[in-house]
C-alpha cells in the first residue's frame, strides 16, 4: 500500500508518501505560507529537492499541489492518484475519546472537534487538512493518528491533578501527554534492540527536541509522561518553561502588568533555553557558546540536563526498574553533552556512557559501555512511519 501521510498546521502542510510493504519513503515535502502566497518543497526518492512558488489560498489548493507534484510526469513517483491507497493524518489531541488511531468518519471528526479547546492551535488545523484531502481524494480511506492516544493507558494516579474534582469531571482537566507516535515507535524499536518481548519491558524514552517529553513505557504501554494538559508542562524546552511554581504566573502578571494571555505567551514563546540563555532556542547555538567558555550557556545546558535526569529517575521508580534508556528527536539524537550530563546522574546505578559511542549522531547506536547495568540507546524517531504503520493497522481491522 502507498500511504500519504499528512501533518497539517495552520499555514503549512508536511507530507510523505510511504510504501507500507518496504517502508520506503517514496517522496516527501512541505507546503508553507498557505494563505499568504505559497511555497512547495518536494523531494522524490533519489531525486533533488524542488522548490516552487505556487499560489495556495487554502489548504485545498495545497493538497492539490502536493498531488500534482506526486503525479508529475518528470519527477512524480505515482502514475495516477489511484496509487494512493490511504491517507494517514496526524491529529494532536484526541482527549479521552481516542486511545488508538481511528478511521476518519463524520462522527469521528465531531469527537475531534469536541477536543478543540484542549488544542486550539492544532486540532482545527488538523481538521482543515482532513477536509481538504477529502475534497481532493473523496474515495480514499483516511485514518487519524493522535499525539495523545499512546498515553491513554496511563492510570488515574499518573494523569490526575491535585485540583477540585469537578474540573476533571466537567472539563476533563488532566494529564494527556504528547509526542505519542514518537514514544510508541521508539519504545517498540528499543525492545527489539535489547531483545526483550515488548510485553515484558521497562523503557524510558527521552524525546528531546525544541519541544520535549519523557515517558515511562511499561510492557509496551505508557504509564506516565512529562507533558500534561498542554505541551507546556514537563522538562525545559526550546521556548517553553516546563514545570514551574504556578504562583509565578500571578507574580509576573503583577510585576509586568500582564494579563493571563500575556504571561502564557511568555511561558510558551519567550522562556525555556531561549529565555534562560538570551542567545537562542537552538541547542546548537547554546552548545557552541558553552564550548567557547560562556558560563551562562553551560548553566543552561546543565539545568536542562538535570531536569531530564530527574524525570528519568522518577520513571525508573514508577516502573520499579528499567531495561533501557533511549534518546530521540533533534536534541536527543545530536547533542552528546546533554546525553552525557543526564546519564551521569545514574553512575551510582552502574549506568555508564561510552565516550566514543556517545559521539554518535543521527544513526541508531548503543551509547553505553558493554558493562553498563542498563543500555542507553540513541534511536532516531520516525513519526511519519509510525503514522503509516498505524494507518495500515486500522484499515486491516475494517
Amino acid at each position: 500500500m502507498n500511504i500519504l501521510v499528512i501533518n497539517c498546521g495552520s499555514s503549512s502542510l508536511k507530507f510523505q508518501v510511504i510504501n507500507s510493504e518496504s517502508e520506503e519513503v517514496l517522496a516527501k515535502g512541505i507546503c508553507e505560507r498557505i494563505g499568504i502566497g505559497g511555497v512547495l518543497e518536494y523531494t522524490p526518492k533519489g531525486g533533488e529537492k524542488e522548490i516552487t512558488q505556487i499560489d495556495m489560498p487554502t489548504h485545498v489548493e495545497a493538497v492539490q499541489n502536493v498531488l500534482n507534484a506526486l503525479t508529475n510526469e518528470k519527477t512524480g513517483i505515482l502514475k495516477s492518484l489511484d496509487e494512493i491507497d490511504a491517507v494517514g493524518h496526524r491529529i494532536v489531541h484526541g482527549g479521552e475519546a481516542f486511545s488508538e488511531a481511528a478511521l476518519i468518519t463524520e462522527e469521528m471528526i465531531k469527537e475531534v472537534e469536541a477536543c478543540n479547546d484542549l488544542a486550539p492551535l492544532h486540532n482545527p488545523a488538523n481538521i482543515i487538512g482532513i477536509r481538504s484531502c477529502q475534497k481532493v481524494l473523496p474515495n480514499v480511506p483516511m485514518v487519524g493518528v493522535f499525539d495523545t492516544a499512546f498515553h491513554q493507558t496511563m492510570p488515574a494516579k499518573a494523569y490526575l491533578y491535585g485540583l477540585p474534582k469537578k474540573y476533571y469531571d466537567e472539563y476533563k482537566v488532566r494529564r494527556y501527554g504528547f509526542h505519542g507516535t514518537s514514544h510508541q515507535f521508539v519504545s517498540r524499536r528499543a525492545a527489539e534492540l535489547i531483545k526483550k518481548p515488548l510485553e515484558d519491558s521497562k523503557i524510558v524514552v527521552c524525546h528531546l527536541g525544541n519541544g520535549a517529553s519523557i515517558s515511562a513505557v511499561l510492557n509496551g504501554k505508557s504509564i506516565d509522561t512529562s507533558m500534561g494538559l498542554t505541551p507546556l508542562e514537563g522538562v525545559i524546552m526550546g521556548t517553553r518553561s516546563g514545570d514551574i511554581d504556578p504562583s509565578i504566573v500571578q507574580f509576573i502578571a503583577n510585576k509586568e502588568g500582564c494579563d493571563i494571555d500575556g504571561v502564557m505567551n511568555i511561558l510558551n514563546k519567550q522562556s525555556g533555553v531561549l529565555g534562560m540563555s538570551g542567545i537562542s532556542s537552538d541547542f546548537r547555538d547554546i552548545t557552541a557558546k558553552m564550548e567557547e567558555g560562556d558560563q551562562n550557556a553551560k548553566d543552561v545546558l546543565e539545568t536542562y540536563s538535570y531536569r531530564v535526569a530527574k524525570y528519568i529517575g522518577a520513571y525508573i521508580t514508577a516502573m520499579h526498574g528499567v531495561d533501557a534508556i533511549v534518546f530521540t528527536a533533534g536534541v536527543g539524537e545530536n547533542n552528546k553533552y546533554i546525553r552525557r550530563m543526564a546519564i551521569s546522574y545514574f553512575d551510582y546505578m552502574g549506568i555508564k556512557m561510552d565516550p566514543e559511542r556517545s559521539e554518535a549522531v543521527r544513526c541508531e547506536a548503543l551509547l553505553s559501555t558493554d558493562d553498563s547495568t542498563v543500555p542507553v540507546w540513541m534511536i532516531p524517531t520516525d513519526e511519519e512511519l509510525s503514522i503509516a504503520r498505524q494507518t495500515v493497522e486500522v484499515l486491516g481491522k475494517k
Side-chain angles (χ1 to χ4, degrees), residues 322-379:
V322 64
D323 295 318
I325 299 169
V326 186
F327 290 93
T328 192
V331 176
E333 293 171 22
N334 292 289
N335 196 302
K336 61 186 179 183
Y337 296 108
I338 285 172
R339 295 193 302 245
R340 287 178 187 171
M341 283 190 279
I343 295 300
S344 70
Y345 288 94
F346 302 97
D347 56 358
Y348 75 97
M349 294 175 60
I351 304 176
K352 297 180 289 184
M353 296 284 270
D354 183 295
E356 292 185 8
R357 290 174 178 172
S358 63
E359 295 285 331
V361 176
R362 296 205 71 82
C363 60
E364 190 174 88
L366 178 67
L367 305 178
S368 51
T369 59
D370 290 336
D371 63 348
S372 178
T373 54
V374 177
V376 180
W377 281 87
M378 192 279 278
I379 301 175

Side-chain angles (χ1 to χ4, degrees), residues 191-357:
E192 293 174 357
L193 290 170
I194 63 174
K195 296 180 170 57
K196 289 208 71 169
L198 184 63
E199 60 275 11
D200 183 28
S201 62
K202 300 173 181 178
I203 299 170
V204 174
V205 178
C206 303
H207 177 108
L208 307 180
N210 196 266
S213 63
I214 301 174
S215 66
V217 185
L218 178 63
N219 303 330
K221 296 181 179 180
S222 174
I223 63 161
D224 207 346
T225 191
S226 58
M227 284 182 168
L229 175 73
T230 75
L232 181 59
E233 188 179 2
V235 298
I236 295 166
M237 303 175 221
T239 63
R240 299 178 190 136
S241 66
D243 297 334
I244 62 167
D245 178 346
S247 295
I248 291 174
V249 174
Q250 182 185 43
F251 186 86
I252 291 175
N254 291 339
K255 291 291 186 180
E256 297 287 327
C258 298
D259 60 14
I260 187 65
D261 290 337
V263 178
M264 293 309 295
N265 183 67
I266 293 169
L267 297 181
N268 274 293
K269 298 181 180 180
Q270 301 174 37
S271 300
V273 297
L274 169 64
M276 294 175 70
S277 69
I279 298 170
S280 172
S281 63
D282 191 316
F283 285 77
R284 292 169 294 190
D285 297 334
I286 300 168
T287 299
K289 281 290 185 182
M290 181 189 72
E291 291 174 336
E292 293 171 4
D294 187 290
Q295 183 60 44
N296 184 53
K298 184 173 184 287
D299 290 342
V300 170
L301 293 184
E302 287 185 343
T303 304
Y304 180 90
S305 302
Y306 179 61
R307 296 287 186 90
V308 170
K310 288 207 295 182
Y311 267 104
I312 293 172
Y315 290 161
I316 291 173
T317 299
M319 295 189 293
H320 300 276
V322 64
D323 295 318
I325 299 169
V326 186
F327 290 93
T328 192
V331 176
E333 293 171 22
N334 292 289
N335 196 302
K336 61 186 179 183
Y337 296 108
I338 285 172
R339 295 193 302 245
R340 287 178 187 171
M341 283 190 279
I343 295 300
S344 70
Y345 288 94
F346 302 97
D347 56 358
Y348 75 97
M349 294 175 60
I351 304 176
K352 297 180 289 184
M353 296 284 270
D354 183 295
E356 292 185 8
R357 290 174 178 172

Side-chain angles (χ1 to χ4, degrees), residues 92-106:
V92 168
H93 217 306
E96 292 185 329
F98 299 97
S99 59
E100 58 185 4
L103 186 69
I104 293 176
T105 63
E106 286 303 312

